[in-house]
Amino acid sequence: MTDKTSNSKHIDAPEVAAWWAERRQYLERIRRVPEIRQRFWREVAVYLLRRLLWSYGFFPIFIAFWLPFVMSSFNPVVMATDLIPVLQEFVDSNPEEQATAISTLMIAWFSIGSFFLVFDFVLTPFRSPYQYEADVYMKSWEQLNHDQLPDKV
């Protein structure tokens, strides 16, 4: 039985701490830069808008049209033939039944959108421009200090 720690390279804690300290200091410095702050808030707004449009715009509409299309064996004539009586029944119903049907559709839309919104946030997390700038800076910092740092920092 071989000792796994003897085969792996040892990373000194002060060297790793220096890397993280430099990254932390750089992040503190760039958080004061107004251009990057504006870019951060713009990217937050674009990220949230994109997630909301995908989740509440595309997916519920896609499912609302795709499921009936699949159930009609991809035949639009069959789909229209099935949907016309349902729509005629909706038009002929009293206002209370129409309000109930519309509220049910809104609840379905909101629930499908919320379901996709949660998974969209999990699958596509926000990438901060601060972190990107810090990654670029730390790569150059590593190259400048490569002789002082271990191989796998």
Side-chain angles (χ1 to χ4, degrees), residues 2-151:
T2 60
D3 185 17
K4 292 181 181 178
T5 58
S6 64
N7 291 339
S8 64
K9 292 187 178 186
H10 179 69
I11 299 175
D12 293 329
E15 294 165 342
V16 174
W19 190 91
W20 282 107
E22 181 65 28
R23 183 180 176 92
R24 198 173 311 112
Q25 289 171 359
Y26 182 73
L27 281 170
E28 289 172 7
R29 284 194 310 263
I30 65 171
R31 286 191 200 283
R32 294 185 213 122
V33 177
E35 293 85 16
I36 298 177
R37 191 178 314 127
Q38 286 177 340
R39 193 169 81 197
F40 172 78
W41 287 113
R42 187 175 47 249
E43 288 187 24
V44 165
V46 167
Y47 172 78
L48 290 174
L49 181 65
R50 187 178 296 142
R51 299 287 70 88
L52 289 170
L53 288 175
W54 253 138
S55 299
Y56 290 105
F58 175 75
F59 288 116
I61 293 171
F62 179 76
I63 289 173
F65 287 104
W66 184 254
L67 286 179
F69 198 51
V70 169
M71 298 306 283
S72 66
S73 301
F74 300 101
N75 188 342
V77 174
V78 172
M79 186 172 71
T81 305
D82 291 343
L83 288 178
I84 289 174
V86 173
L87 293 173
Q88 188 62 42
E89 185 180 319
F90 174 78
V91 170
D92 293 338
S93 65
N94 64 32
E96 185 177 307
E97 290 173 351
Q98 290 177 348
T100 303
I102 290 173
S103 69
T104 302
L105 284 174
M106 289 291 124
I107 290 170
W109 188 301
F110 183 74
S111 63
I112 289 171
S114 299
F115 177 79
F116 280 104
L117 184 65
V118 168
F119 282 102
D120 209 10
F121 280 141
V122 170
L123 294 176
T124 55
F126 177 69
R127 300 186 65 108
S128 171
Y130 292 121
Q131 297 299 324
Y132 175 77
E133 294 289 333
D135 290 343
V136 170
Y137 174 78
M138 291 313 294
K139 288 210 186 296
S140 65
W141 186 84
E142 286 174 6
Q143 289 176 354
L144 290 173
N145 299 308
H146 74 286
D147 56 336
Q148 299 169 2
L149 292 173
D151 292 335

